[in-house]
Amino acid sequence: MKWLTQFRNVLKQSIQFRLTCYFLLILLPLVAFSMFANVKSQRILEQELGERTLSAMNSALEFVDLTLKSIHNLSTLIATDTNLSALLSHQEKTLTSGAIMDFTRVMKEITNITMVNEYLSDTMIYHRPSNSLISTKLGLLHRESQGPEPWYGEALKANGASIYYLSERHEENLSGIPDPIYNRNQLIMMRLMDFYRGEKGENVLMLSISKNQLLRSLSHLLANSSSKVYLFDARERLIVSNAPAETLSFEWRDVQPGSVFVRETPETDEKQLILRVNSPRSGWSLLLIQPEHEIYDKSRPLQIFSYCIIALSVVLAVWIAWFIYSGIASPISRLVSGMRQLRKGNLNIRLENGRQDELGYLTDAFNETAGQQRHLIKDIYEQQLRMTKTELKFLQAQINPHFLYNTLDSIYWTAKNYEAEEISTMVLNLSNFFRLSLSKGQESFTVEETFKHLHYYIRIQQIRFAERFTVEYCASEDSRHLHILKLLLQPLVENAILHGLEKRKKGGVLSIRTEVANDRLIIQVTDNGRGIPESRLMRIQQALARIRFGDYTTPPEKNSEFFALLNVQARIAIYYGETAELKIVSGEGDGTTAIIDLPADRCREERGEPEHESHDC
């Protein structure tokens, strides 16, 4: 979660960013409530629209049922009329003049009966013996078909019950007039004439219902041109629709009657509301499909207005945050920047101030404090610094007799055990060591120079201990030219050899490493010797802590148990400040590591850095 950590850091460091976030958090409930209100209003609108539409669809389907019921009653009235049955009783295949006169009277009768129903476009009676069709719209027609037609077989099979015939083909006669039976624009209700007799007649009554008229009775359900309505009969046949049947690209039978179904079209990924109602009386179904975006056309401006208010609120929050930051937080940021400069030692810092309020008072107080600091540095601190440097030189001078004594002792024991050539080598290294120690009055060496200087002393000890240990130098690239006090590492190396590696017969390793981490110079002197017992290590750490946090200007006594370590801690505390620290890490049998932690900025000097040979790890 790196981005979360970065966000927290920015939130802690930037007042402007924090103010902006606070204002946006204040707006968050308003934004959430607005979004919730929009979503809730859409759901309510969808629910109410669905309920109203379902109610309208039930009313429309009930009206269709009533229309079909009235047509059914009318068909019963005509089919059971004994006068019409008598006029249709002719059995001749070729119509006589008397039959034609009777059929004319039949046509007149059925015209008077059916003309009052606006949904009937034609009323027909099929006379089976003569294969003739009596139509109120086209008159008397003789059909040319030789065998029984499919619709006639369905009418006979119904045995007097009314059926609805849908033609799957469209035919026209030679005059271009559509066939009254094979016409896809008509729904025909059929039943046998004179069906109440034991022996059913062969004549068929056909009432032609206009599909366009049925569709017009459903047109009030269409809210817009994209809405689609489908009317199905009890056999799930499509009766009428304002769209082709191919547009039903899904299984509409899965839509539960009386419910609202939401579906996404595969072609456009547009949501559609699908509603279906069933008639418990006739078993007919009514299906309505409406695009969702057209339903919300009227509520969309309100949504856009809400979003505009939210966007305007966010802009105002950012602007107010910037205004407050410019008026209050910006002067505070200048004060913080000035304090950082003052902390880095820039005592000439002075902030411009043109305010008369509390922030102006704080700015004046800061400028006055900076002036007082300049006075203290000039009159007091410089004097104390001279005293501290004198004490530092005193502490540094104390280490030389102690070191000289140990070195001469090493030469003495080597002279008793080895030939004069080795003694001369030791004396040569000792001479080089003292020559570099004088260093023409310099108080510090670079890390590379320190390694070179230290190596003369280590060679003396390696010869003394018959090469029983090796030494490793490792300085990181960014630490090689940093300056440290001269003779700072020699006491630590001496302790590592005499107290750590002296007891090893062979395989001893002395490691000296430097690196820069988090703007700190870390110096480690490590040996793989016998280590320090826990009780002694604790006493060492307590003594170092007293020197670090106590009066470090008072040098440790020469007969102190940890004289060399306390001397190093006192020197780095005086020269590098309170953050400088010497730490001892050890375990009995696991070797010892002495760690010096110094501020890297105090180890840099403003002078040219000479070229030195590199010490590779």
Side-chain angles (χ1 to χ4, degrees), residues 212-339:
N212 293 331
Q213 195 69 19
L214 282 177
L215 184 60
R216 275 194 293 271
S217 67
L218 304 175
S219 60
H220 67 281
L221 300 175
L222 304 176
N224 45 64
S225 59
S226 300
S227 300
K228 301 173 185 178
V229 64
Y230 302 87
L231 180 63
F232 300 92
D233 65 0
R235 295 164 58 185
E236 297 183 349
R237 296 179 301 174
L238 179 61
I239 302 299
V240 66
S241 173
N242 65 332
E246 293 79 8
T247 57
L248 281 174
S249 57
F250 63 97
E251 187 57 46
W252 62 271
R253 298 171 186 84
D254 295 337
V255 180
Q256 296 297 324
S259 63
V260 180
F261 178 73
V262 180
R263 169 183 175 269
E264 288 188 2
T265 57
E267 298 82 6
T268 61
D269 293 333
E270 181 184 16
K271 289 186 177 181
Q272 293 180 332
L273 297 183
I274 304 174
L275 304 94
R276 177 189 174 191
V277 293
N278 278 11
S279 171
R281 182 184 305 171
S282 61
W284 285 37
S285 299
L286 190 59
L287 188 70
L288 180 64
I289 301 177
Q290 290 182 324
E292 189 180 40
H293 71 90
E294 294 186 359
I295 296 175
Y296 299 130
D297 277 344
K298 294 182 179 180
S299 62
R300 188 169 291 110
L302 180 60
Q303 295 179 6
I304 296 176
F305 181 71
S306 300
Y307 295 145
C308 290
I309 291 178
I310 293 174
L312 181 61
S313 300
V314 172
V315 172
L316 285 176
V318 175
W319 181 81
I320 292 173
W322 175 257
F323 178 77
I324 294 177
Y325 174 78
S326 301
I328 299 177
S330 183
I332 296 178
S333 297
R334 288 198 297 269
L335 280 172
V336 172
S337 178
M339 290 179 181

Side-chain angles (χ1 to χ4, degrees), residues 113-260:
I113 295 174
T114 60
M115 64 181 303
V116 295
N117 195 314
E118 61 179 343
Y119 285 89
L120 290 179
S121 60
D122 194 5
T123 301
M124 301 170 287
I125 297 178
Y126 173 69
H127 185 253
R128 174 58 181 165
S130 63
N131 198 23
S132 300
L133 187 66
I134 304 171
S135 170
T136 59
K137 188 175 182 180
L138 300 177
L140 182 61
L141 301 175
H142 179 71
R143 301 194 61 81
E144 299 297 334
S145 59
Q146 300 299 323
E149 298 181 70
W151 56 266
Y152 184 74
E154 292 182 17
L156 289 179
K157 187 177 179 181
N159 197 25
S162 59
I163 62 170
Y164 293 97
Y165 175 74
L166 284 173
S167 175
E168 296 180 356
R169 54 195 175 96
H170 189 83
E171 294 184 0
E172 296 180 353
N173 58 21
L174 296 177
S175 302
I177 300 175
D179 189 291
I181 298 178
Y182 298 111
N183 187 348
R184 286 196 295 264
N185 296 325
Q186 305 293 329
L187 172 65
I188 301 176
M189 178 186 286
M190 296 183 178
R191 71 187 311 168
L192 293 177
M193 291 289 295
D194 201 16
F195 61 84
Y196 59 88
R197 295 192 312 173
E199 295 181 359
K200 303 293 189 296
E202 296 179 339
N203 302 326
V204 179
L205 171 65
M206 293 180 284
L207 301 180
S208 183
I209 305 170
S210 173
K211 289 185 178 181
N212 293 331
Q213 195 69 19
L214 282 177
L215 184 60
R216 275 194 293 271
S217 67
L218 304 175
S219 60
H220 67 281
L221 300 175
L222 304 176
N224 45 64
S225 59
S226 300
S227 300
K228 301 173 185 178
V229 64
Y230 302 87
L231 180 63
F232 300 92
D233 65 0
R235 295 164 58 185
E236 297 183 349
R237 296 179 301 174
L238 179 61
I239 302 299
V240 66
S241 173
N242 65 332
E246 293 79 8
T247 57
L248 281 174
S249 57
F250 63 97
E251 187 57 46
W252 62 271
R253 298 171 186 84
D254 295 337
V255 180
Q256 296 297 324
S259 63
V260 180

Side-chain angles (χ1 to χ4, degrees), residues 417-433:
N417 295 300
Y418 294 93
E419 299 296 332
E421 182 180 355
E422 294 176 346
I423 296 176
S424 64
T425 302
M426 295 177 68
V427 172
L428 178 62
N429 282 280
L430 180 61
S431 175
N432 290 333
F433 180 84

